[in-house]
Amino acid sequence: MLRLYDSRMSGNSWKIRILLSQLGLPYERVTLDIAQGETRTPAFRRISRFARVPVLELEDGRCIAESGAILAYLAEGSPLLPTEPWLRAEVLGWMFFEQADLQKPLALPRVYHLHGQAAAEADEIARLHRDGYTALAPLEAWVEDHDWLVGERYTLADLAVSVYVSLADQGGYDMARFGAIRRWTARVAAQPGWVPLLPAG
């Protein structure tokens, strides 16, 4: 069985759980406590060369690090990852954009807020917000005119890009400014097999 090493509040880990659910793949979940240093132990470093989650351990014991690589591996052969080269490149392009331009500016302010560090890190949050709002602008412009990021249907691009965007308000972002993005993330969350970050209740 597949084994997913993740953490409770990680957006990158949440992406993998959503995809595993949407593909109907059974897996074992191993949830690590990052604050307690569980990703920095020698045992975990043997699993993850980067000492971070998520990591997917395959049935044969090989491990895949980095959320984008895991998503692409799992989605291979499914409708979520097109086989036509141009469409596939478009999906990957959005995924690269998310990791390069959106992930850090959206994720770090959220971490500071969740850990009660927002006041102490106010200057850093303001800098990250400037970068984040800059990156959100082209996404808003795209989804104003398109229901989905690639083609005419939900793909891996929508899943990968939407997760941290949907959590941005937890980092102090004013997402009321982005009506098209909010409608798009609602469409993504309405897809069959989508699971919440945390269990209900």
Side-chain angles (χ1 to χ4, degrees):
M1 181 181 291
L2 297 170
R3 179 178 292 120
L4 174 64
Y5 294 87
D6 73 354
S7 70
R8 185 169 175 267
M9 299 298 288
S10 162
N12 281 327
S13 297
W14 185 26
K15 297 173 190 178
I16 311 304
R17 294 197 302 275
I18 294 169
L19 182 59
L20 287 165
S21 173
Q22 292 182 330
L23 296 175
L25 296 175
Y27 68 100
E28 175 189 354
R29 182 180 178 186
V30 180
T31 300
L32 303 179
D33 189 332
I34 296 175
Q36 295 300 314
E38 292 183 354
T39 59
R40 299 192 298 271
T41 65
F44 186 70
R45 285 181 181 274
R46 287 192 290 272
I47 295 169
S48 170
R49 68 178 72 92
F50 305 121
R52 61 183 177 228
V53 294
V55 174
L56 184 70
E57 184 176 343
L58 307 182
E59 292 90 339
D60 61 10
R62 291 180 296 170
C63 293
I64 304 174
E66 294 299 294
S67 60
I70 297 169
L71 291 171
Y73 176 85
L74 290 172
E76 186 67 42
S78 80
L80 297 178
L81 186 58
T83 57
E84 196 279 320
W86 185 82
L87 288 174
R88 177 177 287 236
E90 287 286 284
V91 168
L92 294 175
W94 278 108
M95 292 172 67
F96 296 158
F97 165 75
E98 187 267 345
Q99 289 289 286
D101 291 55
L102 282 172
Q103 197 264 339
K104 184 177 179 180
L106 299 188
L108 280 181
R110 175 173 173 261
V111 169
Y112 294 141
H113 278 268
L114 290 177
H115 292 171
Q117 300 169 334
E121 299 291 346
D123 290 344
E124 174 68 358
I125 289 172
R127 184 189 67 80
L128 291 163
H129 278 182
R130 286 193 295 271
D131 292 343
Y133 282 123
T134 297
L136 286 166
L139 176 61
E140 173 77 1
W142 184 264
V143 294
E144 279 180 345
D145 297 324
H146 303 83
D147 285 343
W148 305 107
L149 296 185
V150 177
E152 302 299 324
R153 59 185 173 85
Y154 172 72
T155 68
L156 200 59
D158 299 289
L159 167 55
V161 178
S162 68
V163 162
Y164 275 109
V165 172
S166 73
L167 298 171
D169 60 334
Q170 296 182 10
Y173 280 87
D174 177 14
M175 296 308 291
R177 294 167 50 177
F178 301 102
I181 285 177
R182 289 187 290 112
R183 291 188 294 273
W184 165 70
T185 55
R187 286 193 294 274
V188 174
Q191 294 304 295
W194 186 89
V195 294
L197 174 63
L198 299 174

